[in-house]
Amino acid sequence: DAKTTQPPSMDCAEGRAANLPCNHSTISGNEYVYWYRQIHSQGPQYIIHGLKNNETNEMASLIITEDRKSSTLILPHATLRDTAVYYCIVRVMTSGSRLTFGEGTQLTVNP
Amino acid sequence: GAGVSQSPSNKVTEKGKDVELRCDPISGHTALYWYRQSLGQGLEFLIYFQGNSAPDKSGLPSDRFSAERTGGSVSTLTIQRTQQEDSAVYLCASSLEQGSNEKLFFGSGTQLSVL
């Protein structure tokens, strides 16, 4: 799986949008971009994934650049409960391919 | 419950003892994964089960580690002759969809402490 690069930490004010970047410049055409987050003392939680089109669900939006070499996860109105480590993962779309978690970004939402 | 259940939530053992960690996946999920997470580290893949296929054991760190999945449901991760470096949170995840739409659902993990 392609390697991803994320900033180690970010801060965001409560109620504001949190924009978490991810660089995946070596991504292949058959690799999807996945985002998971891990709140302290819990297991990771799926957020969103996409291939090349922008995606939105009830949790977040995913913006993937046209060349697919980077993406941004957007939490439109961050709350204190969004404080977590956010993992950007690229993964081939075949069954059974493991998720390889990097170091992620520690997002801290401040009141 | 509707989620992935792991037991025990905490386990303290002495070096050299064997331990068994249990995972109850979401009902109907065919895929099951084990990961471990050392303090302040990312997740490390251990093993993957999918239906009746042979498991992918490529992440197991040594032959002291083994896992089985009985009846395509409950899984047990066994660590023999535990060492202090085995101390970590052991996470189990299951999934239903395969391929590009696969979403993993994780349990809360078992915190293993080897004294």
PDB file of all heavy atoms in Angstrom, chain A residues 72-107:
ATOM      1  N   THR A  72      -7.946  15.843   1.645  1.00  0.00           N
ATOM      2  CA  THR A  72      -8.257  16.577   2.864  1.00  0.00           C
ATOM      3  C   THR A  72      -9.546  16.041   3.465  1.00  0.00           C
ATOM      4  O   THR A  72     -10.556  15.914   2.749  1.00  0.00           O
ATOM      5  CB  THR A  72      -8.425  18.084   2.603  1.00  0.00           C
ATOM      6  OG1 THR A  72      -7.225  18.590   2.022  1.00  0.00           O
ATOM      7  CG2 THR A  72      -8.728  18.835   3.883  1.00  0.00           C
ATOM      8  N   LEU A  73      -9.499  15.719   4.720  1.00  0.00           N
ATOM      9  CA  LEU A  73     -10.708  15.353   5.452  1.00  0.00           C
ATOM     10  C   LEU A  73     -11.241  16.609   6.116  1.00  0.00           C
ATOM     11  O   LEU A  73     -10.495  17.322   6.793  1.00  0.00           O
ATOM     12  CB  LEU A  73     -10.397  14.298   6.517  1.00  0.00           C
ATOM     13  CG  LEU A  73     -11.589  13.861   7.369  1.00  0.00           C
ATOM     14  CD1 LEU A  73     -12.508  12.948   6.558  1.00  0.00           C
ATOM     15  CD2 LEU A  73     -11.133  13.165   8.640  1.00  0.00           C
ATOM     16  N   ILE A  74     -12.515  16.869   5.926  1.00  0.00           N
ATOM     17  CA  ILE A  74     -13.115  18.068   6.497  1.00  0.00           C
ATOM     18  C   ILE A  74     -14.208  17.685   7.491  1.00  0.00           C
ATOM     19  O   ILE A  74     -15.158  16.966   7.143  1.00  0.00           O
ATOM     20  CB  ILE A  74     -13.715  18.965   5.400  1.00  0.00           C
ATOM     21  CG1 ILE A  74     -12.634  19.385   4.406  1.00  0.00           C
ATOM     22  CG2 ILE A  74     -14.383  20.198   6.013  1.00  0.00           C
ATOM     23  CD1 ILE A  74     -13.170  20.111   3.186  1.00  0.00           C
ATOM     24  N   LEU A  75     -14.043  18.142   8.725  1.00  0.00           N
ATOM     25  CA  LEU A  75     -15.112  18.053   9.719  1.00  0.00           C
ATOM     26  C   LEU A  75     -15.730  19.448   9.761  1.00  0.00           C
ATOM     27  O   LEU A  75     -15.101  20.385  10.255  1.00  0.00           O
ATOM     28  CB  LEU A  75     -14.551  17.676  11.090  1.00  0.00           C
ATOM     29  CG  LEU A  75     -13.655  16.437  11.157  1.00  0.00           C
ATOM     30  CD1 LEU A  75     -13.149  16.212  12.568  1.00  0.00           C
ATOM     31  CD2 LEU A  75     -14.389  15.209  10.656  1.00  0.00           C
ATOM     32  N   PRO A  76     -16.929  19.617   9.253  1.00  0.00           N
ATOM     33  CA  PRO A  76     -17.446  20.969   9.022  1.00  0.00           C
ATOM     34  C   PRO A  76     -17.663  21.805  10.286  1.00  0.00           C
ATOM     35  O   PRO A  76     -17.470  23.019  10.249  1.00  0.00           O
ATOM     36  CB  PRO A  76     -18.760  20.724   8.278  1.00  0.00           C
ATOM     37  CG  PRO A  76     -19.122  19.309   8.584  1.00  0.00           C
ATOM     38  CD  PRO A  76     -17.845  18.578   8.785  1.00  0.00           C
ATOM     39  N   HIS A  77     -18.056  21.191  11.355  1.00  0.00           N
ATOM     40  CA  HIS A  77     -18.302  21.916  12.602  1.00  0.00           C
ATOM     41  C   HIS A  77     -17.757  21.070  13.747  1.00  0.00           C
ATOM     42  O   HIS A  77     -18.476  20.278  14.355  1.00  0.00           O
ATOM     43  CB  HIS A  77     -19.798  22.170  12.804  1.00  0.00           C
ATOM     44  CG  HIS A  77     -20.458  22.883  11.660  1.00  0.00           C
ATOM     45  ND1 HIS A  77     -20.256  24.217  11.400  1.00  0.00           N
ATOM     46  CD2 HIS A  77     -21.276  22.428  10.690  1.00  0.00           C
ATOM     47  CE1 HIS A  77     -20.944  24.550  10.317  1.00  0.00           C
ATOM     48  NE2 HIS A  77     -21.566  23.492   9.868  1.00  0.00           N
ATOM     49  N   ALA A  78     -16.471  21.231  14.006  1.00  0.00           N
ATOM     50  CA  ALA A  78     -15.812  20.367  14.981  1.00  0.00           C
ATOM     51  C   ALA A  78     -16.376  20.568  16.386  1.00  0.00           C
ATOM     52  O   ALA A  78     -16.681  21.695  16.803  1.00  0.00           O
ATOM     53  CB  ALA A  78     -14.316  20.631  14.981  1.00  0.00           C
ATOM     54  N   THR A  79     -16.514  19.459  17.106  1.00  0.00           N
ATOM     55  CA  THR A  79     -16.924  19.501  18.501  1.00  0.00           C
ATOM     56  C   THR A  79     -15.814  18.908  19.361  1.00  0.00           C
ATOM     57  O   THR A  79     -14.879  18.277  18.836  1.00  0.00           O
ATOM     58  CB  THR A  79     -18.216  18.701  18.733  1.00  0.00           C
ATOM     59  OG1 THR A  79     -17.924  17.299  18.584  1.00  0.00           O
ATOM     60  CG2 THR A  79     -19.297  19.091  17.729  1.00  0.00           C
ATOM     61  N   LEU A  80     -15.936  19.079  20.652  1.00  0.00           N
ATOM     62  CA  LEU A  80     -14.917  18.554  21.556  1.00  0.00           C
ATOM     63  C   LEU A  80     -14.784  17.039  21.412  1.00  0.00           C
ATOM     64  O   LEU A  80     -13.698  16.476  21.575  1.00  0.00           O
ATOM     65  CB  LEU A  80     -15.259  18.919  23.000  1.00  0.00           C
ATOM     66  CG  LEU A  80     -15.326  20.416  23.328  1.00  0.00           C
ATOM     67  CD1 LEU A  80     -15.687  20.624  24.792  1.00  0.00           C
ATOM     68  CD2 LEU A  80     -14.025  21.113  22.987  1.00  0.00           C
ATOM     69  N   ARG A  81     -15.895  16.382  21.057  1.00  0.00           N
ATOM     70  CA  ARG A  81     -15.862  14.919  20.917  1.00  0.00           C
ATOM     71  C   ARG A  81     -15.131  14.464  19.663  1.00  0.00           C
ATOM     72  O   ARG A  81     -14.909  13.263  19.476  1.00  0.00           O
ATOM     73  CB  ARG A  81     -17.293  14.363  20.910  1.00  0.00           C
ATOM     74  CG  ARG A  81     -17.984  14.451  22.256  1.00  0.00           C
ATOM     75  CD  ARG A  81     -19.403  13.945  22.176  1.00  0.00           C
ATOM     76  NE  ARG A  81     -20.225  14.775  21.304  1.00  0.00           N
ATOM     77  CZ  ARG A  81     -21.499  14.535  21.031  1.00  0.00           C
ATOM     78  NH1 ARG A  81     -22.095  13.475  21.533  1.00  0.00           N
ATOM     79  NH2 ARG A  81     -22.183  15.334  20.242  1.00  0.00           N
ATOM     80  N   ASP A  82     -14.760  15.410  18.801  1.00  0.00           N
ATOM     81  CA  ASP A  82     -13.988  15.063  17.616  1.00  0.00           C
ATOM     82  C   ASP A  82     -12.496  15.000  17.915  1.00  0.00           C
ATOM     83  O   ASP A  82     -11.697  14.670  17.027  1.00  0.00           O
ATOM     84  CB  ASP A  82     -14.251  16.077  16.497  1.00  0.00           C
ATOM     85  CG  ASP A  82     -15.661  15.980  15.952  1.00  0.00           C
ATOM     86  OD1 ASP A  82     -16.188  14.844  15.842  1.00  0.00           O
ATOM     87  OD2 ASP A  82     -16.246  17.032  15.629  1.00  0.00           O
ATOM     88  N   THR A  83     -12.093  15.335  19.125  1.00  0.00           N
ATOM     89  CA  THR A  83     -10.691  15.203  19.499  1.00  0.00           C
ATOM     90  C   THR A  83     -10.295  13.728  19.420  1.00  0.00           C
ATOM     91  O   THR A  83     -10.884  12.879  20.084  1.00  0.00           O
ATOM     92  CB  THR A  83     -10.457  15.741  20.922  1.00  0.00           C
ATOM     93  OG1 THR A  83     -10.660  17.159  20.932  1.00  0.00           O
ATOM     94  CG2 THR A  83      -9.049  15.421  21.405  1.00  0.00           C
ATOM     95  N   ALA A  84      -9.299  13.443  18.569  1.00  0.00           N
ATOM     96  CA  ALA A  84      -8.928  12.051  18.299  1.00  0.00           C
ATOM     97  C   ALA A  84      -7.687  12.033  17.416  1.00  0.00           C
ATOM     98  O   ALA A  84      -7.244  13.075  16.925  1.00  0.00           O
ATOM     99  CB  ALA A  84     -10.067  11.319  17.582  1.00  0.00           C
ATOM    100  N   VAL A  85      -7.153  10.847  17.207  1.00  0.00           N
ATOM    101  CA  VAL A  85      -6.112  10.661  16.209  1.00  0.00           C
ATOM    102  C   VAL A  85      -6.796  10.251  14.915  1.00  0.00           C
ATOM    103  O   VAL A  85      -7.596   9.314  14.894  1.00  0.00           O
ATOM    104  CB  VAL A  85      -5.091   9.591  16.631  1.00  0.00           C
ATOM    105  CG1 VAL A  85      -4.054   9.386  15.528  1.00  0.00           C
ATOM    106  CG2 VAL A  85      -4.400   9.989  17.934  1.00  0.00           C
ATOM    107  N   TYR A  86      -6.489  10.954  13.829  1.00  0.00           N
ATOM    108  CA  TYR A  86      -7.104  10.704  12.539  1.00  0.00           C
ATOM    109  C   TYR A  86      -6.076  10.037  11.620  1.00  0.00           C
ATOM    110  O   TYR A  86      -4.983  10.562  11.413  1.00  0.00           O
ATOM    111  CB  TYR A  86      -7.614  12.006  11.929  1.00  0.00           C
ATOM    112  CG  TYR A  86      -8.858  12.498  12.623  1.00  0.00           C
ATOM    113  CD1 TYR A  86      -8.784  13.122  13.870  1.00  0.00           C
ATOM    114  CD2 TYR A  86     -10.123  12.314  12.069  1.00  0.00           C
ATOM    115  CE1 TYR A  86      -9.926  13.536  14.542  1.00  0.00           C
ATOM    116  CE2 TYR A  86     -11.271  12.735  12.720  1.00  0.00           C
ATOM    117  CZ  TYR A  86     -11.159  13.342  13.956  1.00  0.00           C
ATOM    118  OH  TYR A  86     -12.295  13.750  14.609  1.00  0.00           O
ATOM    119  N   TYR A  87      -6.455   8.893  11.080  1.00  0.00           N
ATOM    120  CA  TYR A  87      -5.570   8.114  10.231  1.00  0.00           C
ATOM    121  C   TYR A  87      -6.037   8.181   8.777  1.00  0.00           C
ATOM    122  O   TYR A  87      -7.191   7.896   8.477  1.00  0.00           O
ATOM    123  CB  TYR A  87      -5.554   6.647  10.652  1.00  0.00           C
ATOM    124  CG  TYR A  87      -5.014   6.378  12.034  1.00  0.00           C
ATOM    125  CD1 TYR A  87      -5.875   6.192  13.111  1.00  0.00           C
ATOM    126  CD2 TYR A  87      -3.648   6.301  12.251  1.00  0.00           C
ATOM    127  CE1 TYR A  87      -5.384   5.928  14.377  1.00  0.00           C
ATOM    128  CE2 TYR A  87      -3.143   6.037  13.517  1.00  0.00           C
ATOM    129  CZ  TYR A  87      -4.014   5.858  14.572  1.00  0.00           C
ATOM    130  OH  TYR A  87      -3.526   5.593  15.824  1.00  0.00           O
ATOM    131  N   CYS A  88      -5.117   8.553   7.912  1.00  0.00           N
ATOM    132  CA  CYS A  88      -5.349   8.515   6.470  1.00  0.00           C
ATOM    133  C   CYS A  88      -4.651   7.271   5.939  1.00  0.00           C
ATOM    134  O   CYS A  88      -3.462   7.060   6.206  1.00  0.00           O
ATOM    135  CB  CYS A  88      -4.771   9.775   5.833  1.00  0.00           C
ATOM    136  SG  CYS A  88      -4.677   9.775   4.040  1.00  0.00           S
ATOM    137  N   ILE A  89      -5.362   6.434   5.211  1.00  0.00           N
ATOM    138  CA  ILE A  89      -4.826   5.147   4.756  1.00  0.00           C
ATOM    139  C   ILE A  89      -5.166   4.980   3.294  1.00  0.00           C
ATOM    140  O   ILE A  89      -6.294   5.263   2.875  1.00  0.00           O
ATOM    141  CB  ILE A  89      -5.466   3.993   5.555  1.00  0.00           C
ATOM    142  CG1 ILE A  89      -5.225   4.171   7.060  1.00  0.00           C
ATOM    143  CG2 ILE A  89      -4.922   2.643   5.087  1.00  0.00           C
ATOM    144  CD1 ILE A  89      -6.174   3.368   7.914  1.00  0.00           C
ATOM    145  N   VAL A  90      -4.209   4.537   2.497  1.00  0.00           N
ATOM    146  CA  VAL A  90      -4.519   4.173   1.126  1.00  0.00           C
ATOM    147  C   VAL A  90      -4.427   2.647   1.017  1.00  0.00           C
ATOM    148  O   VAL A  90      -3.562   2.031   1.620  1.00  0.00           O
ATOM    149  CB  VAL A  90      -3.603   4.857   0.095  1.00  0.00           C
ATOM    150  CG1 VAL A  90      -3.876   6.345   0.071  1.00  0.00           C
ATOM    151  CG2 VAL A  90      -2.155   4.587   0.390  1.00  0.00           C
ATOM    152  N   ARG A  91      -5.312   2.090   0.272  1.00  0.00           N
ATOM    153  CA  ARG A  91      -5.472   0.642   0.283  1.00  0.00           C
ATOM    154  C   ARG A  91      -6.001   0.154  -1.042  1.00  0.00           C
ATOM    155  O   ARG A  91      -6.904   0.746  -1.620  1.00  0.00           O
ATOM    156  CB  ARG A  91      -6.445   0.286   1.399  1.00  0.00           C
ATOM    157  CG  ARG A  91      -6.732  -1.180   1.558  1.00  0.00           C
ATOM    158  CD  ARG A  91      -7.850  -1.352   2.554  1.00  0.00           C
ATOM    159  NE  ARG A  91      -8.095  -2.745   2.839  1.00  0.00           N
ATOM    160  CZ  ARG A  91      -9.292  -3.246   3.106  1.00  0.00           C
ATOM    161  NH1 ARG A  91     -10.338  -2.439   3.112  1.00  0.00           N
ATOM    162  NH2 ARG A  91      -9.448  -4.510   3.375  1.00  0.00           N
ATOM    163  N   VAL A  92      -5.426  -0.963  -1.517  1.00  0.00           N
ATOM    164  CA  VAL A  92      -5.945  -1.561  -2.740  1.00  0.00           C
ATOM    165  C   VAL A  92      -7.347  -2.084  -2.479  1.00  0.00           C
ATOM    166  O   VAL A  92      -7.698  -2.394  -1.345  1.00  0.00           O
ATOM    167  CB  VAL A  92      -5.038  -2.692  -3.257  1.00  0.00           C
ATOM    168  CG1 VAL A  92      -3.689  -2.136  -3.663  1.00  0.00           C
ATOM    169  CG2 VAL A  92      -4.884  -3.773  -2.206  1.00  0.00           C
ATOM    170  N   MET A  93      -8.130  -2.189  -3.499  1.00  0.00           N
ATOM    171  CA  MET A  93      -9.537  -2.519  -3.309  1.00  0.00           C
ATOM    172  C   MET A  93      -9.831  -4.007  -3.389  1.00  0.00           C
ATOM    173  O   MET A  93     -10.968  -4.400  -3.485  1.00  0.00           O
ATOM    174  CB  MET A  93     -10.394  -1.758  -4.321  1.00  0.00           C
ATOM    175  CG  MET A  93     -10.074  -2.056  -5.745  1.00  0.00           C
ATOM    176  SD  MET A  93     -11.077  -1.030  -6.841  1.00  0.00           S
ATOM    177  CE  MET A  93     -10.587  -1.653  -8.440  1.00  0.00           C
ATOM    178  N   THR A  94      -8.806  -4.834  -3.289  1.00  0.00           N
ATOM    179  CA  THR A  94      -9.058  -6.268  -3.275  1.00  0.00           C
ATOM    180  C   THR A  94      -9.400  -6.735  -1.878  1.00  0.00           C
ATOM    181  O   THR A  94      -8.935  -6.179  -0.883  1.00  0.00           O
ATOM    182  CB  THR A  94      -7.844  -7.049  -3.787  1.00  0.00           C
ATOM    183  OG1 THR A  94      -6.708  -6.667  -2.995  1.00  0.00           O
ATOM    184  CG2 THR A  94      -7.568  -6.728  -5.241  1.00  0.00           C
ATOM    185  N   SER A  95     -10.205  -7.779  -1.819  1.00  0.00           N
ATOM    186  CA  SER A  95     -10.630  -8.298  -0.526  1.00  0.00           C
ATOM    187  C   SER A  95      -9.441  -8.800   0.282  1.00  0.00           C
ATOM    188  O   SER A  95      -8.529  -9.404  -0.259  1.00  0.00           O
ATOM    189  CB  SER A  95     -11.613  -9.458  -0.729  1.00  0.00           C
ATOM    190  OG  SER A  95     -12.768  -9.009  -1.367  1.00  0.00           O
ATOM    191  N   GLY A  96      -9.486  -8.523   1.563  1.00  0.00           N
ATOM    192  CA  GLY A  96      -8.477  -9.060   2.445  1.00  0.00           C
ATOM    193  C   GLY A  96      -7.218  -8.239   2.537  1.00  0.00           C
ATOM    194  O   GLY A  96      -6.324  -8.557   3.313  1.00  0.00           O
ATOM    195  N   SER A  97      -7.113  -7.182   1.736  1.00  0.00           N
ATOM    196  CA  SER A  97      -5.913  -6.357   1.873  1.00  0.00           C
ATOM    197  C   SER A  97      -6.008  -5.596   3.185  1.00  0.00           C
ATOM    198  O   SER A  97      -7.013  -4.985   3.493  1.00  0.00           O
ATOM    199  CB  SER A  97      -5.798  -5.392   0.693  1.00  0.00           C
ATOM    200  OG  SER A  97      -6.930  -4.570   0.586  1.00  0.00           O
ATOM    201  N   ARG A  98      -4.950  -5.675   3.954  1.00  0.00           N
ATOM    202  CA  ARG A  98      -5.000  -5.131   5.295  1.00  0.00           C
ATOM    203  C   ARG A  98      -4.955  -3.620   5.288  1.00  0.00           C
ATOM    204  O   ARG A  98      -4.418  -3.001   4.390  1.00  0.00           O
ATOM    205  CB  ARG A  98      -3.818  -5.667   6.097  1.00  0.00           C
ATOM    206  CG  ARG A  98      -2.480  -5.134   5.610  1.00  0.00           C
ATOM    207  CD  ARG A  98      -1.324  -5.787   6.268  1.00  0.00           C
ATOM    208  NE  ARG A  98      -1.157  -7.161   5.854  1.00  0.00           N
ATOM    209  CZ  ARG A  98      -0.072  -7.878   6.102  1.00  0.00           C
ATOM    210  NH1 ARG A  98       0.922  -7.347   6.774  1.00  0.00           N
ATOM    211  NH2 ARG A  98       0.005  -9.132   5.720  1.00  0.00           N
ATOM    212  N   LEU A  99      -5.548  -3.024   6.314  1.00  0.00           N
ATOM    213  CA  LEU A  99      -5.375  -1.597   6.556  1.00  0.00           C
ATOM    214  C   LEU A  99      -4.044  -1.408   7.260  1.00  0.00           C
ATOM    215  O   LEU A  99      -3.791  -2.042   8.282  1.00  0.00           O
ATOM    216  CB  LEU A  99      -6.495  -1.067   7.442  1.00  0.00           C
ATOM    217  CG  LEU A  99      -7.874  -0.876   6.821  1.00  0.00           C
ATOM    218  CD1 LEU A  99      -8.856  -0.415   7.880  1.00  0.00           C
ATOM    219  CD2 LEU A  99      -7.822   0.115   5.686  1.00  0.00           C
ATOM    220  N   THR A 100      -3.193  -0.566   6.724  1.00  0.00           N
ATOM    221  CA  THR A 100      -1.912  -0.260   7.351  1.00  0.00           C
ATOM    222  C   THR A 100      -2.000   1.138   7.942  1.00  0.00           C
ATOM    223  O   THR A 100      -2.093   2.122   7.216  1.00  0.00           O
ATOM    224  CB  THR A 100      -0.769  -0.329   6.326  1.00  0.00           C
ATOM    225  OG1 THR A 100      -0.739  -1.638   5.764  1.00  0.00           O
ATOM    226  CG2 THR A 100       0.561  -0.035   7.010  1.00  0.00           C
ATOM    227  N   PHE A 101      -2.006   1.182   9.263  1.00  0.00           N
ATOM    228  CA  PHE A 101      -2.150   2.450   9.981  1.00  0.00           C
ATOM    229  C   PHE A 101      -0.786   3.094  10.190  1.00  0.00           C
ATOM    230  O   PHE A 101       0.137   2.453  10.673  1.00  0.00           O
ATOM    231  CB  PHE A 101      -2.815   2.222  11.340  1.00  0.00           C
ATOM    232  CG  PHE A 101      -4.272   1.866  11.276  1.00  0.00           C
ATOM    233  CD1 PHE A 101      -4.672   0.579  10.980  1.00  0.00           C
ATOM    234  CD2 PHE A 101      -5.241   2.824  11.517  1.00  0.00           C
ATOM    235  CE1 PHE A 101      -6.016   0.239  10.917  1.00  0.00           C
ATOM    236  CE2 PHE A 101      -6.593   2.497  11.461  1.00  0.00           C
ATOM    237  CZ  PHE A 101      -6.975   1.209  11.164  1.00  0.00           C
ATOM    238  N   GLY A 102      -0.690   4.367   9.838  1.00  0.00           N
ATOM    239  CA  GLY A 102       0.516   5.126  10.133  1.00  0.00           C
ATOM    240  C   GLY A 102       0.396   5.794  11.491  1.00  0.00           C
ATOM    241  O   GLY A 102      -0.290   5.294  12.384  1.00  0.00           O
ATOM    242  N   GLU A 103       1.075   6.939  11.642  1.00  0.00           N
ATOM    243  CA  GLU A 103       1.062   7.630  12.929  1.00  0.00           C
ATOM    244  C   GLU A 103      -0.167   8.512  13.103  1.00  0.00           C
ATOM    245  O   GLU A 103      -0.562   8.827  14.214  1.00  0.00           O
ATOM    246  CB  GLU A 103       2.326   8.471  13.088  1.00  0.00           C
ATOM    247  CG  GLU A 103       3.614   7.656  13.026  1.00  0.00           C
ATOM    248  CD  GLU A 103       3.674   6.605  14.116  1.00  0.00           C
ATOM    249  OE1 GLU A 103       3.309   6.911  15.272  1.00  0.00           O
ATOM    250  OE2 GLU A 103       4.063   5.462  13.806  1.00  0.00           O
ATOM    251  N   GLY A 104      -0.761   8.944  11.997  1.00  0.00           N
ATOM    252  CA  GLY A 104      -1.959   9.758  12.084  1.00  0.00           C
ATOM    253  C   GLY A 104      -1.710  11.183  12.541  1.00  0.00           C
ATOM    254  O   GLY A 104      -0.577  11.592  12.813  1.00  0.00           O
ATOM    255  N   THR A 105      -2.797  11.948  12.617  1.00  0.00           N
ATOM    256  CA  THR A 105      -2.790  13.327  13.110  1.00  0.00           C
ATOM    257  C   THR A 105      -3.602  13.410  14.387  1.00  0.00           C
ATOM    258  O   THR A 105      -4.783  13.040  14.389  1.00  0.00           O
ATOM    259  CB  THR A 105      -3.401  14.297  12.078  1.00  0.00           C
ATOM    260  OG1 THR A 105      -2.603  14.335  10.909  1.00  0.00           O
ATOM    261  CG2 THR A 105      -3.506  15.705  12.659  1.00  0.00           C
ATOM    262  N   GLN A 106      -2.990  13.913  15.439  1.00  0.00           N
ATOM    263  CA  GLN A 106      -3.735  14.150  16.678  1.00  0.00           C
ATOM    264  C   GLN A 106      -4.453  15.489  16.531  1.00  0.00           C
ATOM    265  O   GLN A 106      -3.815  16.541  16.514  1.00  0.00           O
ATOM    266  CB  GLN A 106      -2.790  14.188  17.876  1.00  0.00           C
ATOM    267  CG  GLN A 106      -3.460  14.672  19.166  1.00  0.00           C
ATOM    268  CD  GLN A 106      -4.534  13.714  19.667  1.00  0.00           C
ATOM    269  OE1 GLN A 106      -4.244  12.559  19.972  1.00  0.00           O
ATOM    270  NE2 GLN A 106      -5.770  14.201  19.792  1.00  0.00           N
ATOM    271  N   LEU A 107      -5.771  15.428  16.382  1.00  0.00           N
ATOM    272  CA  LEU A 107      -6.586  16.640  16.320  1.00  0.00           C
ATOM    273  C   LEU A 107      -7.110  16.960  17.708  1.00  0.00           C
ATOM    274  O   LEU A 107      -7.735  16.117  18.346  1.00  0.00           O
ATOM    275  CB  LEU A 107      -7.757  16.458  15.360  1.00  0.00           C
ATOM    276  CG  LEU A 107      -8.752  17.628  15.319  1.00  0.00           C
ATOM    277  CD1 LEU A 107      -8.116  18.854  14.688  1.00  0.00           C
ATOM    278  CD2 LEU A 107     -10.031  17.245  14.582  1.00  0.00           C
TER     279      LEU A 107
END
